[in-house]
Amino acid sequence: MPRRKQTVQALSSSPFPCPNCGEPVSGISLFCSELCRDEAHFVRYCRACYDDGRIMQDDVRMALDIHLAHILAGGYSERLRRLPKAIREAVFSRDKGRCRICGEFGEQIDHIRGDSSKLSNLQLLCFHCHNKKTTSGFVKISSKTHPKEWKKRKKLLDRVRSFNPYRLCDRPEWNTLWQTIRSARRDVKKKIAPNRVD
């Protein structure tokens, strides 16, 4: 992956580039898409897991593998699948706090099919059953069977394993940097169109 120096100033200059892929973004949005935001979060989280040793935990590695698979499949909108507290409580109550597959203590709510958040499409599962169900639908990929996805996987894992972060959004301090960038983008927008800021 070619290393281009990415700075707060470069990300704050119009046209505003996505910190993850470099494509232009609309308005003062930080990322060009939810998928790019998710990719950047994945890279940061993986790097943090390597730094603090959590990568040695089986459950963390499995969660990262699942997250990467969702990214390679085109993304997974956690926001769209987030459930209101009342629905979560109704699922826990109906399933009596037990996993509907194995009967152990349930801790995660699963969408049985698709994205519908109707009570009939939700079930309580334990961590292990939920992960097993999720991964059972995954397809093994290779450079021959899925060249586009394989290339993206390689690029993301190169960013994770790099000694120095490739992009500002890969750095642990991104959680404060993004506020500086968004503020600078607002200032630029005000100069370009003083009466309108997206």
Side-chain angles (χ1 to χ4, degrees), residues 72-181:
L72 297 177
Y76 177 88
S77 179
E78 288 184 28
R79 272 188 252 155
L80 291 178
R81 293 171 69 101
R82 196 169 291 144
L83 300 170
K85 185 178 178 183
I87 291 178
R88 291 183 60 76
E89 288 173 352
V91 173
F92 270 85
S93 175
R94 182 200 62 206
D95 295 345
K96 298 178 178 56
R98 297 288 177 191
C99 173
R100 287 186 60 191
I101 294 175
C102 72
E104 292 296 319
F105 173 73
E107 55 201 343
Q108 297 182 351
I109 297 178
D110 171 58
H111 288 76
I112 298 168
R113 284 181 203 84
D115 292 333
S116 170
S117 293
K118 290 183 179 177
L119 199 55
S120 60
N121 191 48
L122 302 172
Q123 64 182 346
L124 191 61
L125 297 179
C126 68
F127 175 81
H128 296 292
C129 287
H130 191 216
N131 283 345
K132 188 174 179 182
K133 179 183 178 263
T134 300
T135 57
S136 69
F138 288 173
V139 174
K140 256 199 182 303
I141 68 168
S142 71
S143 59
K144 290 180 181 174
T145 61
H146 297 80
K148 184 179 166 187
E149 291 82 1
W150 191 260
K151 186 177 178 182
K152 179 182 259 196
R153 176 186 177 276
K154 183 182 180 333
K155 283 183 177 182
L156 288 170
L157 294 179
D158 284 349
R159 283 169 61 184
V160 167
R161 295 175 182 141
S162 170
F163 182 73
N164 292 312
Y166 282 167
R167 302 184 162 274
L168 283 180
C169 61
D170 297 348
R171 300 172 66 100
E173 60 269 22
W174 175 253
N175 293 331
T176 54
L177 283 174
W178 73 264
Q179 295 169 353
T180 303
I181 294 164

Side-chain angles (χ1 to χ4, degrees), residues 52-82:
D52 65 17
R54 280 178 290 165
I55 198 68
M56 301 307 292
Q57 299 171 15
D58 290 339
D59 59 336
V60 170
R61 281 197 309 274
M62 179 178 271
L64 292 172
D65 287 346
I66 290 170
H67 194 164
L68 179 58
H70 283 305
I71 288 171
L72 297 177
Y76 177 88
S77 179
E78 288 184 28
R79 272 188 252 155
L80 291 178
R81 293 171 69 101
R82 196 169 291 144

